[in-house]
Amino acid sequence: MGGQYRITGDKYPRMRGRRRRGRLVLLVVASAAVLGLTGWGTLQLVDVFTGGGGRASAVGTKDCATPRSSPSPSARPLPEPGRITVNVLNATTRSGLAKQTADELKKRGFKIGDVGNAPEEYDKKVKGAGVLLGPTASLDTSLPVLATQLSGAERRTDAARKGAAVDLIIGDAFKELTKKADADKALTRLAEPSPAPTVKKGC
């Protein structure tokens, strides 16, 4: 046997080297796959318990502060000046104020009713710029619109009052109506209030 199967040289056949190397490669690939799946699963769990991560939280925050574009269904629409009848009454000792004020209100689009002296309960008893008086229903409708024309006027309602007309009773501190440009701006703000934020459930 010695002569026929004799091995010469310094290179020897490696019968199992490739198999071991193949196993090593498979182990590395499998480990990488396991680590990748573990990391992905961890991220998914984090998203579930934190509400979707930073981006989701940012979107959720934005949705929670979405402006409400439509007014509340319970809000009453404000009447235009042309649909409001104003009685202009003078409670001061200065003559001509009622007519002068009524003429200016008419130019601004209001309907004018009675013009003259204030009744006894108000005559010479209004120390401020004036009193706006109307029926209970006018508190959130006609009176706010008329108030844009006389800054600082006191608003009052009378439950026993009939009709829809309102009174502008001129007081001792009255100098003139609000400047038309300022009154127009006040009317615009009154007619188009800023939208209120709508808060969604879960925010």
Side-chain angles (χ1 to χ4, degrees):
M1 293 179 62
Q4 186 175 358
Y5 297 97
R6 186 177 180 180
I7 299 174
T8 59
D10 57 357
K11 295 182 180 180
Y12 299 90
R14 297 179 181 179
M15 304 301 292
R16 298 183 180 180
R18 294 183 179 178
R19 183 175 299 176
R20 291 178 180 176
R21 185 176 299 173
R23 289 181 179 178
L24 182 60
V25 172
L26 288 176
L27 286 175
V28 172
V29 173
S31 298
V34 171
L35 289 175
L37 290 175
T38 302
W40 181 82
T42 302
L43 289 176
Q44 293 299 314
L45 289 175
V46 170
D47 285 344
V48 169
F49 288 104
T50 60
R55 182 181 177 184
S57 298
V59 173
T61 303
K62 183 177 180 181
D63 290 341
C64 289
T66 302
R68 184 176 56 199
S69 58
S70 58
S72 172
S74 60
R76 294 183 178 183
L78 295 174
E80 297 178 357
R83 299 179 60 185
I84 300 175
T85 299
V86 183
N87 302 318
V88 184
L89 308 174
N90 186 4
T92 75
T93 58
R94 293 175 286 171
S95 62
L97 281 182
K99 185 178 186 307
Q100 179 183 349
T101 304
D103 290 343
E104 181 60 28
L105 284 175
K106 186 175 181 180
K107 291 179 183 178
R108 299 184 183 190
F110 289 87
K111 289 184 178 181
I112 303 301
D114 295 334
V115 178
N117 295 325
E120 183 178 356
E121 60 180 311
Y122 289 102
D123 191 27
K124 301 179 183 64
K125 298 176 183 178
V126 179
K127 302 302 180 182
V131 172
L132 308 182
L133 178 65
T136 303
S138 67
L139 182 61
D140 297 322
T141 54
S142 301
L143 289 185
V145 175
L146 183 57
T148 62
Q149 310 301 310
L150 182 58
S151 301
E154 181 183 353
R155 305 180 199 180
R156 298 182 186 178
T157 59
D158 183 0
R161 187 184 180 100
K162 296 182 180 180
V166 294
D167 296 345
L168 190 160
I169 304 173
I170 301 172
D172 292 337
F174 177 87
K175 294 182 179 180
E176 62 181 359
L177 293 175
T178 303
K179 299 294 183 182
K180 188 176 185 305
D182 295 334
D184 289 343
K185 291 179 181 179
L187 274 174
T188 300
R189 290 193 299 268
L190 190 65
E192 299 178 359
S194 300
T198 301
V199 178
K200 295 184 178 181
K201 292 183 179 180
C203 295

